[in-house]
Amino acid sequence: MNRRTRMDALYPRLLVDRFADSFEFYNAVLPALFGARLRKGTPAGPYANWDVEEQAILVLYDRATLAATIGTTDLPAAAPAAQDRVMFACRVSDVDESLAVCLKHGGTVVTGPADRPEWGPGMRTAHLRDPEGHLLELQSY
């Protein structure tokens, strides 16, 4: 493979309505928690991605832009209230400190830090929502 060829494995692409708010949240949180760097994008959107060691870890994409691209603008932008179907799980070195960083930048707590030995030895988690409402789990073990 050519050294200049870039091959990313699977990574989450979050579709967002409030692009600037989501951009500001992740642009503050991802470097602090994972050493990620912004590879492309601005708060104006419609696209931004962050990398760790040249591998994409998260992409934001404007929901309306994608809907126009794939021809779904006539469908509702939001589903009725329901349980979450997707969660962005993030392994961190310190759940409590990582949650504080997320809250400082606009996240909201779902469940505070808690030890979860039933999930595995040394497992500690916290759950929060990003400014767009996506569910995140911070975990250490």
Side-chain angles (χ1 to χ4, degrees), residues 57-110:
I57 64 162
L58 181 70
V59 170
L60 295 181
Y61 198 66
D62 179 70
R63 183 188 314 276
T65 301
L66 182 64
T69 300
I70 64 173
T72 59
T73 56
D74 58 329
L75 297 175
Q83 294 181 7
D84 294 284
R85 297 188 58 85
V86 176
M87 179 176 68
F88 185 30
C90 308
R91 186 171 181 188
V92 297
S93 59
D94 186 302
V95 168
D96 299 66
E97 287 179 13
S98 298
L99 180 61
V101 169
C102 292
L103 298 179
K104 178 181 174 184
H105 295 287
T108 55
V109 174
V110 175

Side-chain angles (χ1 to χ4, degrees), residues 1 16 36 48 65 71 86 110-111 119 127 141:
M1 178 187 317
V16 298
T65 301
V86 176
V110 175
T111 61
W119 291 10
H127 295 88
Y141 50 92

Side-chain angles (χ1 to χ4, degrees), residues 5-25:
T5 302
R6 184 182 149 99
M7 297 293 290
D8 291 320
L10 293 174
Y11 58 89
R13 179 172 288 191
L14 299 180
L15 303 177
V16 298
D17 295 311
R18 296 171 31 214
F19 193 93
D21 292 340
S22 294
F23 179 92
E24 295 299 339
F25 176 79

